[in-house]
Amino acid sequence: MSNPPAPLSTWARNVSPSPTLAVDARAKALLAAGEDVCGFAAGEPDFDTPEHIKEACIAALKAGKTKYAATPGIEPLRQAVASRYAAEYGLKATPAQVVVSPGGKFNCYMGVLATCSPGDEVIVPAPYWVSYPEMVKLAGATPKFVLADDRTGFRLTPAMVETAITPKTKLLILNSPSNPTGAVYTRAELEAIVAVALKHNLYILSDEMYEHLVYDGVKPTCVATLSKEAEARTIVVAGFSKTYAMTGWRIGTTLAPLPIAKALAELQSQMSSNVTTFAQYGALAALTEKEKTAAALKTMLTAFDRRRKMLHAELNKIPGVTCLLAEGAFYLFPNISSFGLKDLDFCNRLLDSEKVAAVPGSAFGAEGYLRLSYATSDEIIQKGVARLAKFCAALKR
Ligand SMILES: *Cc1c(COP(=O)(O)O)cnc(C)c1O
């Protein structure tokens, strides 16, 4: 008899599957089985990629852009990314500071790998995007969660950051606008937090994936623009997935100080090489065919904003539910703690009895909330909230 196989690695055994994908998968399975599901669990726009972006990709494919390209991205795309930081934020960046990676998720992971060693600590604001803790653990580092709940608008204060810092702290992760809460920090708030990080010589990973999905006239802040000191220590991650409805394309960008950008490219050269070459030409069109892209973005933003207001108003009509009006991304994060149920139980029962899919706040390190994505149709939102109201009315408070 042969021996049983040796255990898999600590990395393989300790990684947690994405809980948001799990709820979404259960909802999709119910849908496929013919159930009338109202899905609020999706983490992607319900729009298709704008036509001119697809066309540019197809043209590149037909023109034979099918070979390996430079690891950190095709030169015109790196140039276009650098130019857009200059145009949008007045940030002087060179193409050499830009690294194009297979999805913003990978950009974030590379950022953690480039800065953190085993034993280091990383400050992760909660509610957090589900992948941050896992990325930190995969680098051998330890996530230190700092919870900012709805009492501070899901935004950390400088004092909260200060308290979490130890001599082992290496990196602070920021994500504004936030997934899962939609919260957007003001420039002044970011300045105060970043000042604490700089005082303690930390690196900053600023995940700005939702920078263009903001409402109510809010302006996003690129953390690298706060000061020269901030620029020298900040890894800015952004991308195409959420802004241009390109989640399946797998393209994200990092803007970092030159030594970090070089390290990122070297790491990536051994882990994945370049992003699909012809796909990069689609991304390039998103940045260079500015008018078409702006029109497509406006269509999406108008729909998201209408749904955001509608969902927010309807949620706050439900006795026992309170919800802040988030200024960014496409999520709301209502508080359901008054029902005295674990949020996971709440979500499972909601899906079973009313066929409404929502992600529990505990998946993001914040028990007592739901993450509802409004990247879905007005009809689904209306029908889904009515069912949620019925469900809540049947619960004892
Ligand atoms: C979606 C998302 C990303 C990454 O998206 P990609 O599809 O990998 O480009 C990164 N950060 C946050 C907060 C996100 O919600």
Side-chain angles (χ1 to χ4, degrees), residues 119-203:
D120 288 344
E121 292 178 1
V122 179
I123 296 183
V124 179
Y128 48 73
W129 183 46
V130 292
S131 293
Y132 300 141
E134 301 305 315
M135 289 170 178
V136 170
K137 287 192 271 167
L138 286 170
T142 308
K144 290 283 158 184
F145 303 114
V146 187
L147 178 65
D149 60 23
D150 51 4
R151 290 171 299 180
T152 58
F154 304 114
R155 302 190 305 273
L156 295 183
T157 62
M160 291 161 86
V161 178
E162 184 82 59
T163 312
I165 293 174
T166 77
K168 291 182 178 169
T169 311
K170 193 72 185 291
L171 177 70
L172 166 68
I173 295 182
L174 293 173
N175 174 219
S176 171
S178 153
N179 174 6
T181 68
V184 185
Y185 284 84
T186 66
R187 190 173 180 89
E189 286 168 343
L190 284 171
E191 264 164 7
I193 288 171
V194 165
V196 175
L198 294 178
K199 186 174 93 188
H200 292 275
N201 213 18
L202 308 186
Y203 283 110

Side-chain angles (χ1 to χ4, degrees), residues 103-105 129 132 175 179 207 209-210 241-242 250:
K105 186 176 278 186
W129 183 46
Y132 300 141
N175 174 219
N179 174 6
D207 180 347
M209 193 54 62
Y210 295 91
S241 295
K242 309 294 162 57
R250 313 310 306 134

Side-chain angles (χ1 to χ4, degrees), residues 282-335:
L284 177 62
L287 297 183
T288 54
E289 296 184 34
K290 293 198 176 73
E291 277 173 25
K292 286 182 191 163
T293 301
L297 180 57
K298 194 165 173 227
T299 304
M300 289 192 265
L301 274 175
T302 304
F304 286 151
D305 190 26
R306 184 182 64 242
R307 297 164 182 175
R308 176 182 73 110
K309 288 178 178 146
M310 181 168 88
L311 180 59
H312 173 259
E314 293 302 320
L315 285 172
N316 280 306
K317 283 183 200 160
I318 303 175
V321 175
T322 53
C323 184
L324 299 178
L325 182 60
E327 294 170 322
F330 38 65
Y331 310 102
L332 291 179
F333 208 67
N335 186 326

Side-chain angles (χ1 to χ4, degrees), residues 54-98:
K54 290 190 198 170
E55 291 299 337
C57 173
I58 294 166
L61 182 55
K62 289 193 168 154
K65 304 290 189 193
T66 56
K67 305 287 196 237
Y68 287 132
T71 294
I74 57 170
E75 202 51 34
L77 180 56
R78 295 172 86 194
Q79 177 67 62
V81 171
S83 304
R84 81 130 178 122
Y85 277 103
E88 292 175 32
Y89 299 104
L91 198 65
K92 284 201 185 63
T94 64
Q97 289 175 256
V98 175

